[in-house]
Amino acid sequence: MTNILVPIGTSPDAHETLQYAIDFASDFGANIYVMEVFSAIAKTGTLANVSEKIADSGKERLKGVIAKTDQKKVAIKVVTYKGDLVDGLNDINKEIGVDLIILSPRSSDIREELYLGSTSGGIVKRTNIPALVVPKGTEYSRFKNVLVAFKSGILKRKRILDPLATIANKHKCKVNLLLVKTPGYSDDDLKINTALMDMSSQLTITENATTYQGVLEHFRSQQPDLLCVFRRKRGFFKKLWEKSTILKSEFSSTVPVLILSVKKD
């Protein structure tokens, strides 16, 4: 794991998420890129260098957020992007190769009823980059127990499991698999990727209406400190991926959530 991207929103607690990312990066020997996206609409009579001024202002704000953290000798670079957030993430990914995005559930949205705000939700929904969603106030510590929940064990894309494998190898944590048989499942869904099986310590098979209900049923007994799910057209968050914001009544997690993409690039 080499490059970690941290989108910084307008939340006054942004430095907490960045500190988590710094501690994580320090443990894995990774670099951090902190990013802010801005848009500047040109109008008659506006200053010609308005975009440059906004970019400079954004960089100064990011430097202020960084100044509130213990950098632990981690290489931190500031990047700004003019335009759409996801376009910016994808462009940076093409340029440097982003191994993981670390973000808070609500980087800009202040609505307490939401688990994922529009910015964080848009990142999760519209990119194929692995993401680690870290609840507010979470301090970094090595994971001991990971719960991987899914409704289909088929993983066709190469390197899907790389972030999970890297974490499991580094932390020497226990990886438990939860296969949730939902209505309409096929026999192929029950065939579990061999690489996923190789890194696991335990497999539990359950039947529930949705994958999330399966997680709720087994979360207390498994007591994970990391939940890992897959972003795919049919699977965990199937309905939730259709929108950017996610209500806490629809889904919530008190532990970090690692989201791996099964979608094609």
Side-chain angles (χ1 to χ4, degrees), residues 189-213:
D189 291 331
L190 304 182
K191 299 175 183 178
I192 302 175
N193 179 276
T194 54
L196 185 57
M197 282 296 297
D198 288 343
M199 72 173 67
S200 66
S201 303
Q202 175 182 322
L203 168 65
T204 301
I205 300 177
T206 183
E207 292 193 41
N208 296 88
T210 65
T211 310
Y212 181 44
Q213 287 184 14

Side-chain angles (χ1 to χ4, degrees), residues 107-128:
S107 59
S108 299
D109 208 310
I110 62 173
R111 289 176 288 173
E112 288 294 334
E113 69 272 18
L114 295 177
Y115 170 68
L116 280 186
S118 58
T119 301
S120 298
I123 292 172
V124 168
K125 174 186 175 183
R126 297 171 55 201
T127 72
N128 286 342

Side-chain angles (χ1 to χ4, degrees), residues 211-222:
T211 310
Y212 181 44
Q213 287 184 14
V215 171
L216 289 178
E217 179 183 335
H218 293 272
F219 193 90
R220 182 172 294 180
S221 60
Q222 298 277 3

Side-chain angles (χ1 to χ4, degrees), residues 127-258:
T127 72
N128 286 342
I129 307 170
L132 182 64
V133 183
V134 181
K136 178 181 176 181
T138 303
E139 295 184 0
Y140 174 74
S141 62
R142 291 197 166 196
F143 301 118
K144 298 178 181 178
N145 191 12
V146 182
L147 178 62
V148 184
F150 52 95
K151 65 180 292 183
S152 174
I154 301 173
L155 303 175
K156 294 181 179 179
R157 290 179 66 245
K158 294 181 179 179
R159 302 179 64 185
I160 291 172
L161 297 172
D162 281 3
L164 176 61
T166 300
I167 290 172
N169 291 334
K170 180 72 173 180
H171 289 187
K172 308 300 181 185
C173 50
K174 183 178 180 182
V175 177
N176 294 327
L177 307 184
L178 179 65
L179 171 57
V180 183
K181 294 163 62 175
T182 58
Y185 76 89
S186 68
D187 290 339
D188 283 341
D189 291 331
L190 304 182
K191 299 175 183 178
I192 302 175
N193 179 276
T194 54
L196 185 57
M197 282 296 297
D198 288 343
M199 72 173 67
S200 66
S201 303
Q202 175 182 322
L203 168 65
T204 301
I205 300 177
T206 183
E207 292 193 41
N208 296 88
T210 65
T211 310
Y212 181 44
Q213 287 184 14
V215 171
L216 289 178
E217 179 183 335
H218 293 272
F219 193 90
R220 182 172 294 180
S221 60
Q222 298 277 3
Q223 295 186 328
D225 45 24
L226 176 65
L227 173 64
C228 179
V229 298
F230 298 101
R231 173 177 44 214
R232 66 204 325 167
K233 289 184 178 179
R234 52 185 297 270
F236 199 80
F237 289 158
K238 176 181 177 181
K239 293 296 183 183
L240 302 184
W241 294 146
E242 296 174 359
K243 53 190 177 181
S244 293
T245 58
I246 296 178
L247 293 169
K248 288 180 179 177
S249 59
E250 297 171 313
F251 172 79
S252 185
S253 176
T254 57
V255 302
V257 179
L258 177 63

Side-chain angles (χ1 to χ4, degrees), residues 46-67:
T46 57
L47 295 174
N49 63 346
V50 63
S51 294
E52 183 179 344
K53 288 191 174 183
I54 293 176
D56 289 342
S57 175
K59 287 181 180 179
E60 289 304 313
R61 194 180 73 82
L62 292 183
K63 290 178 181 178
V65 174
I66 294 171

